[in-house]
Amino acid sequence: MLGSQDDALELTQDTFVKAWQALPQWQPEAQFRTWLFRIASNAALDALRRNRLVDFVPLEDSFDAPAAGPDPERQAQATQEVQKLEASLKKLAAEHREILLLREVEEMSYEEIGRVLSLSEGTVKSRLARARAALIEIHARSRQ
C-alpha cells in the first residue's frame, strides 16, 4: 500500500506500538487479527493521505512466478505480465487496492474484511466486485 518496503516496516512497527497502547480497549469477543488489521489499515490510509502516495509495492519483489523451466521467452512473458498487472494496480483507488489485498493476499473472509474496514458483509462483496471490475478494465485498456 505504501510503495516502499522501508515505509511498510516502519508502519508495521508503529502499528504494533499503537496496538500495545490500545490493548486495554481490545474486546476479547473481537478477533485479534481483525482488530490489528484495522489499526494497520487506518495507519496505512493515514500515511497515504499525509504523503499523498498512490503507488503500489512492486509485485516482482515478492512474486514467485511458476517455474517455467529453462525457457527464457516464457520467463520474459511472465515478467511482463507482472509488470502490466503492477501498473494496473497502481491506477486503482487506494480503497480498491486495500480491499483486494485483504481478500486476495491476506486471504481474509468477507466477515473479517468487514470488521477491519467497518463495513457490512454485503458492502464488502459489492466493493470487492467493483475493485475487481476496475482492475480488469484498467488491465484490459493497458493491453490495447
Side-chain angles (χ1 to χ4, degrees):
M1 288 292 295
L2 299 178
S4 160
Q5 187 174 8
D6 291 337
D7 289 344
L9 289 172
E10 186 174 326
L11 182 77
T12 301
Q13 183 176 2
D14 291 345
T15 297
F16 280 105
V17 168
K18 287 177 183 177
W20 176 259
Q21 292 169 342
L23 199 54
Q25 286 82 33
W26 175 62
Q27 299 170 0
E29 60 274 4
Q31 280 191 359
F32 185 78
R33 176 182 181 200
T34 55
W35 178 76
L36 186 60
F37 266 98
R38 180 69 182 167
I39 293 170
S41 173
N42 287 339
L45 292 175
D46 288 345
L48 287 171
R49 283 186 206 109
R50 249 191 334 271
N51 300 325
R52 300 229 181 241
L53 294 176
V54 290
D55 291 332
F56 190 78
V57 176
L59 289 177
E60 58 206 27
D61 292 344
S62 62
F63 181 75
D64 291 329
D71 184 1
E73 182 178 343
R74 199 171 202 179
Q75 288 176 337
Q77 287 174 340
T79 300
Q80 286 176 346
E81 282 300 312
V82 168
Q83 289 170 344
K84 287 177 186 176
L85 179 59
E86 179 184 319
S88 297
L89 286 167
K90 283 182 180 181
K91 295 176 185 174
L92 278 179
E95 68 180 19
H96 284 165
R97 278 196 316 270
E98 178 180 43
I99 204 161
L100 282 171
L101 286 171
L102 291 175
R103 179 67 180 162
E104 306 302 337
V105 176
E106 297 300 330
E107 297 178 346
M108 286 187 169
S109 69
Y110 297 125
E111 181 184 349
E112 289 174 315
I113 294 169
R115 278 187 257 140
V116 168
L117 301 178
S118 297
L119 301 170
S120 71
E121 209 170 310
T123 302
V124 168
K125 289 178 182 179
S126 65
R127 283 193 187 174
L128 190 55
R130 284 194 301 272
R132 287 174 175 155
L135 181 60
I136 289 168
E137 183 179 328
I138 291 168
H139 194 64
R141 276 188 275 148
S142 72
R143 297 181 126 203
Q144 295 175 349

